[in-house]
Amino acid sequence: MMWLTLLAPPKGIIPRGLPGKLKIVSYECLAGLPRGSLLFLFAIIFFSCSQERDMPTDGPSIDLLMEPGSSVAVPDDMPGPHLNKWDIYNYLALGDSYTIGASVESAVSFPIQLKTRLEEGLKVKVNTEIIAVTGWRTDNLLDAVKKGAQMPSYDLVTLLIGVNNQYQGKPFRVYTQEFPLLLEAAMALAYGNPKNVVVVSVPDYAYTPFGEGRNTDKISKEIDEYNAFAEATALQMGVSFINITDITRNGLSNPNLVAGDGLHPSGETYKRFVDKLYPVVLPIFD
């Protein structure tokens, strides 16, 4: 005999890959059918679900995501940050080289500067975990998150990802498919509460010595497309979005904003990121 079990997803998490339509059949209606008919019926249901699950799907439309009024209403009573038994908050930063602070001291990366600012403002310790590697695309970060973080839940999760999808010439539809999955994973790691998650926009490397001389108009246009989709997706899921891209577009006029490698942000730039992040993040801990 075969049993079909439907498990309710955690609150705030949108399951992916499930059939678009589920029909619930009353067992009373099935009681009078011969055993062979039942097996045939279940076979049809199973085959239909498998076929629908395996069919490739396009990413969500940015036009639909950006419709006014499409944001999620988040209940006020969802789980929020709380000090653990050692009086410590836990913060998880997900991303790539911009998150680990490539070419600068780790102490001036934006997650560590944000941690320090929070500790000063909250008068408590903030344990910071970073899952990020230079060169990571959305698929690399997804694989890493699937392998597990150090803790089951975090009081704050930041997400900054996408520049390597653009730089490596990956189809934009890949980002539209994988970024929402990453955002769902971030929410799941933040007690399922979108208010505990912040998306940070992708910096624009066209305004660096590395990017200068390349097709800068194309780079900036594509970075804008990535950020527009990330912002619209965050809005739809009830997650805060912080635009720091404008800061990085001063990199050529102000060389102090670029690290020694001529590509990545400097510690001063990351400080300016945190100047924008901190006022949004601090109320999360109220």
Side-chain angles (χ1 to χ4, degrees):
M1 178 175 286
M2 178 187 299
W3 286 267
L4 297 179
T5 305
L6 297 179
L7 298 177
K11 192 173 184 180
I13 306 302
I14 303 172
R16 298 274 169 174
L18 291 178
K21 298 179 181 178
L22 290 176
K23 295 184 179 179
I24 306 301
V25 182
S26 168
Y27 280 103
E28 292 180 0
C29 296
L30 299 176
L33 292 175
R35 184 172 181 274
S37 298
L38 282 173
L39 290 175
F40 178 73
L41 176 60
F42 280 120
I44 292 175
I45 295 173
F46 179 80
F47 179 78
S48 299
C49 292
S50 298
Q51 289 289 97
E52 188 164 354
R53 179 192 61 206
D54 294 336
M55 288 178 63
T57 57
D58 294 328
S61 166
I62 190 170
D63 295 327
L64 293 177
L65 285 173
M66 296 187 74
E67 286 182 356
S70 63
S71 60
V72 172
V74 182
D76 293 330
D77 59 348
M78 291 192 71
H82 62 275
L83 289 167
N84 63 21
K85 61 182 180 181
W86 298 284
D87 290 332
I88 297 175
Y89 285 119
N90 292 304
Y91 163 38
L92 175 64
L94 302 173
D96 50 34
S97 59
Y98 293 132
T99 299
I100 62 175
S103 297
V104 299
E105 296 289 332
S106 60
V108 297
S109 65
F110 90 79
I112 302 304
Q113 288 200 56
L114 179 58
K115 157 200 165 73
T116 301
R117 191 85 64 90
L118 286 170
E119 288 181 335
E120 292 171 352
L122 298 169
K123 308 301 180 186
V124 297
K125 289 291 184 182
V126 177
N127 175 61
T128 303
E129 180 184 347
I130 296 175
I131 300 180
V133 171
T134 297
W136 268 6
R137 304 176 303 269
T138 46
D139 59 326
N140 304 126
L141 184 55
L142 268 173
D143 290 342
V145 170
K146 287 176 183 177
K147 291 177 181 177
Q150 292 180 7
M151 300 180 184
S153 297
Y154 294 81
D155 304 294
L156 169 68
V157 179
T158 58
L159 175 62
L160 193 174
I161 193 72
V163 71
N164 293 299
N165 290 64
Q166 185 278 332
Y167 177 70
Q168 296 175 27
K170 298 300 178 182
F172 181 62
R173 68 176 180 275
V174 172
Y175 187 78
T176 67
Q177 293 166 350
E178 294 177 348
F179 181 81
L181 298 178
L182 278 169
L183 193 48
E184 290 171 6
M187 289 163 52
L189 288 166
Y191 299 104
N193 189 345
K195 290 184 177 180
N196 301 351
V197 180
V198 176
V199 172
V200 183
S201 70
V202 176
D204 188 349
Y205 65 91
Y207 291 82
T208 66
F210 175 86
E212 195 176 17
R214 297 171 184 265
N215 191 340
T216 54
D217 289 342
K218 179 176 182 291
I219 292 170
S220 294
K221 180 177 181 293
E222 291 179 354
I223 292 293
D224 284 343
E225 290 173 349
Y226 276 76
N227 284 330
F229 180 82
E231 182 176 13
T233 305
L235 174 66
Q236 186 191 47
M237 295 188 180
V239 172
S240 295
F241 178 88
I242 304 297
N243 185 356
I244 51 78
T245 309
D246 56 342
I247 297 172
T248 64
R249 284 176 171 162
N250 295 308
L252 291 176
S253 60
N254 184 354
N256 291 329
L257 297 181
V258 182
D261 64 357
L263 169 61
H264 291 94
S266 66
E268 170 60 27
T269 305
Y270 288 130
K271 177 185 177 298
R272 298 188 187 191
F273 288 9
V274 174
D275 288 342
K276 283 196 168 187
L277 276 162
Y278 183 70
V280 174
V281 169
L282 186 62
I284 293 174
F285 296 88
D286 288 343

